[in-house]
Amino acid sequence: ARRSTKGNCTADAGLVMNAVAEEAESASASADGFIGRIPVRNIWLLMLYASDLFRTQGIGKIGLEDSPDELPDLVAEILAHAVEVRQRRRLSLGYRSRDAALNRVRGRIDVLATERHQLLDRGLVACRFDELTIDTPRNRFVRAALESVSRVVRRKDVAHRCRSLASGMKAMGVSGDAPTRAQMSTDRFGRNDVDDQFMVAAAKLAFDLALPTEASGANVLSLPDREATWVRRLFERAMGGFYDVVLSPRGWRVLCGGTMGWQIEQKTAGIEKILPTMRTDVVLDHPSSGRRIVIDTKFTSIVTTGWYREETLRSGYVYQIYAYLRSQVGRGEALADCASGLLLHPAIGQRVDETVVIQGHHIRFATVNLTASPADIRSQLLRLCEPIQSVTTGS
C-alpha cells in the first residue's frame, strides 16, 4: 500500500480538501504549485512554523517566511552551511555496539558464542565492545537529508552543493542507511552539541520539505489515514511554533501541549483510569495585561450541517473549549478566571471570525485562510491575539 510521491500527494490533496472543506471529490496535485487548492508554498510555510529550526538561533526572525516559494532553497543553503561548519570542526563521533571474533580480548567476552563456534581452537575469541565511529545515526540522517533536499531545490548550484556535501560525508565513512524519525527522537544533545542541534533541526525541515511536491520520485508517504494525522498535527505544531517565536519577544508566555486538571472534590477508586485528561494545543499568557488565550486547533471545517439550519458550529468543539475555560476558574489564578478561548480552524477561501461571551469568558471561533499570501496568513494569526473590542448583543 505504498506509492510514489506523486501518487501520495494526489491522495493527500483529497484528504486536505476533505478535512478543510469536507468536499466529496478528491483533488489531484496540479502542475502550478498546488496540492488540491492549497498552495504548496503554504504547506511549506506551515512546516517552517512547526520546525525546530524556526525556533533555533533566531532563524524565525530573519524573514524566511517572506519568500516561501524559495523556502527549500533557503533551507538547503542553511543545512549546507551548517554541515560545512561541522566538517571544518570535524563531524561528531559516537559509540556503537559491535560483536566480533577477534584475536585479542576487547570489551566483554561472549563465552557462549566463543564455545559454540569453537573460536579458541582458531586463536579467536568472541567479544562485545563499543566502538567510536563517525557513522552515527545523527550523521546518517543529515547525509540523507542533503540527498533528499537536493532533488527539490530549484537552484542548480545549491543542489550541487548538497550532493557534494553528501558525497563528502560518504567518503568520511557515513553510510547511506538513514535512521527513522523514531530512532532520531531518542537522540539527545549535550552541552557541546549546539552546532549539531542546529544542523539536525535544518535536516529535519529539509526532509519534510521534500515530501509535499507534485514531482514523482523515490520518496514515499505513509498510508492515507496517517497522512490525515500528519496534516492535522502539522497545523497544530505550526500554530504553536509561530506564536512561540513571534509573541515571546512581546512579553507573552507560550505553552504548547500542556495539560489541565479537573477540580475534583470527591472520586471513586477507579475514576482516574477512565477520566480523560484535558490537553490543550496552545496557551498564550500575557501577565502584564492579565490576558490568557487558550487555543484549540482543529483541522476540519469550522461549521457543519445542523438539524434545523444549514450551518452550525460543532457542538463537541464548543463543549471542549468551554470545559477548558470553566474548569480552571476559582483556583486563585487571575489569568484563569478571565481567560478567553479560541477555536482555530484552517479554511480555503473562507473567513470566519465570530465571538461570544459565556459566563464572562470570550470564546472566539475563527479561521485562517490557507490560500492567502504568507504575509496575510501572518497578519491573520496576529490579529487573533488582539483584544476583542466589543461584542454586539443580539435579541
Side-chain angles (χ1 to χ4, degrees), residues 11 20 24 36 55 59 95 103 138 142 173 195 209 242 282 330 334 339 355 394:
V20 178
R55 311 184 194 198
I59 290 296
Y95 287 96
N103 56 9
R138 184 183 301 175
V142 171
D195 291 334
L209 295 179
F242 173 81
V282 185
T355 303

Side-chain angles (χ1 to χ4, degrees), residues 47-62 64 71 74-76 78-79 82 197-206 209 237 245:
M47 289 179 173
L48 174 65
Y49 287 156
S51 68
D52 293 332
L53 181 66
F54 191 62
R55 311 184 194 198
T56 304
Q57 293 189 358
I59 290 296
K61 303 177 179 65
I62 66 175
L64 281 180
L71 190 57
L74 295 173
V75 171
I78 291 173
L79 174 60
Q197 188 172 3
F198 179 73
M199 181 178 65
V200 171
K204 288 180 179 178
L205 180 55
L209 295 179
R237 286 176 54 85
V245 171

Side-chain angles (χ1 to χ4, degrees), residues 56-361:
T56 304
Q57 293 189 358
I59 290 296
K61 303 177 179 65
I62 66 175
L64 281 180
E65 58 187 328
D66 296 336
S67 52
D69 288 321
E70 302 174 3
L71 190 57
D73 296 69
L74 295 173
V75 171
E77 283 193 283
I78 291 173
L79 174 60
H81 176 71
V83 173
E84 288 168 348
V85 170
R86 294 302 298 134
Q87 286 184 346
R88 285 196 295 267
R89 301 177 183 175
R90 190 180 183 184
L91 293 173
S92 298
L93 303 176
Y95 287 96
R96 65 176 175 183
S97 297
R98 281 195 58 194
D99 294 334
L102 306 175
N103 56 9
R104 60 184 179 85
V105 175
R106 183 178 179 184
R108 301 175 60 185
I109 298 176
D110 187 341
V111 178
L112 181 60
T114 301
E115 290 296 325
R116 179 187 301 155
H117 300 288
Q118 299 181 350
L119 296 179
L120 292 177
D121 296 342
R122 291 179 284 161
L124 300 175
V125 61
C127 300
R128 293 178 178 176
F129 55 93
D130 292 332
E131 181 181 56
L132 193 64
T133 178
I134 199 174
D135 190 23
T136 62
R138 184 183 301 175
N139 291 334
R140 294 201 304 270
F141 184 78
V142 171
R143 177 192 163 186
L146 286 168
E147 295 173 344
S148 179
V149 77
S150 68
R151 293 190 287 266
V152 299
V153 296
R154 297 181 180 181
R155 291 172 49 188
K156 293 182 179 180
D157 60 324
V158 176
H160 176 72
R161 186 179 173 189
C162 291
R163 287 193 295 267
S164 297
L165 288 170
S167 298
M169 295 183 72
K170 178 181 179 182
M172 293 178 186
V174 180
S175 65
D177 299 328
T180 64
R181 284 300 180 93
Q183 292 172 328
M184 287 302 298
S185 66
T186 62
D187 192 19
R188 296 293 178 265
F189 296 92
R191 292 181 299 175
N192 300 322
D193 294 338
V194 175
D195 291 334
D196 273 3
Q197 188 172 3
F198 179 73
M199 181 178 65
V200 171
K204 288 180 179 178
L205 180 55
F207 250 132
D208 287 339
L209 295 179
L211 295 180
T213 64
E214 306 83 33
S216 62
N219 293 314
V220 293
L221 297 180
S222 53
L223 297 175
D225 58 336
R226 295 184 180 179
E227 292 172 14
T229 301
W230 174 78
V231 176
R232 183 174 65 251
R233 290 180 178 174
L234 171 64
F235 183 71
E236 174 187 330
R237 286 176 54 85
M239 296 303 100
F242 173 81
Y243 285 125
D244 188 16
V245 171
V246 176
L247 295 184
S248 293
R250 305 183 184 185
W252 289 81
R253 291 200 306 259
V254 181
L255 175 64
C256 302
T259 58
M260 292 182 172
W262 298 96
Q263 295 193 47
I264 299 176
E265 298 177 357
Q266 297 180 358
K267 62 180 180 181
T268 55
I271 189 62
E272 291 184 352
K273 297 180 180 180
I274 59 176
L275 186 67
T277 301
M278 291 186 290
R279 183 175 297 275
T280 58
D281 293 338
V282 185
V283 177
L284 309 178
D285 285 347
H286 196 256
S288 62
S289 63
R291 297 184 60 206
R292 169 174 290 179
I293 305 175
V294 180
I295 302 177
D296 197 46
T297 60
K298 302 294 184 184
F299 203 81
T300 58
S301 175
I302 193 169
V303 292
T304 186
T305 304
W307 286 101
Y308 304 107
R309 46 187 169 178
E310 293 184 0
E311 292 184 338
T312 179
L313 294 168
R314 299 171 184 268
S315 57
Y317 295 167
V318 179
Y319 302 154
Q320 184 178 8
I321 195 68
Y322 175 81
Y324 286 164
L325 299 175
R326 291 301 300 170
S327 65
Q328 306 304 303
V329 173
R331 292 188 166 187
E333 187 179 2
L335 291 178
D337 291 342
C338 61
S340 61
L342 170 62
L343 271 175
L344 183 58
H345 296 246
I348 296 178
Q350 178 189 23
R351 180 181 176 184
V352 175
D353 189 359
E354 302 293 344
T355 303
V356 64
V357 179
I358 301 177
Q359 293 180 265
H361 298 278

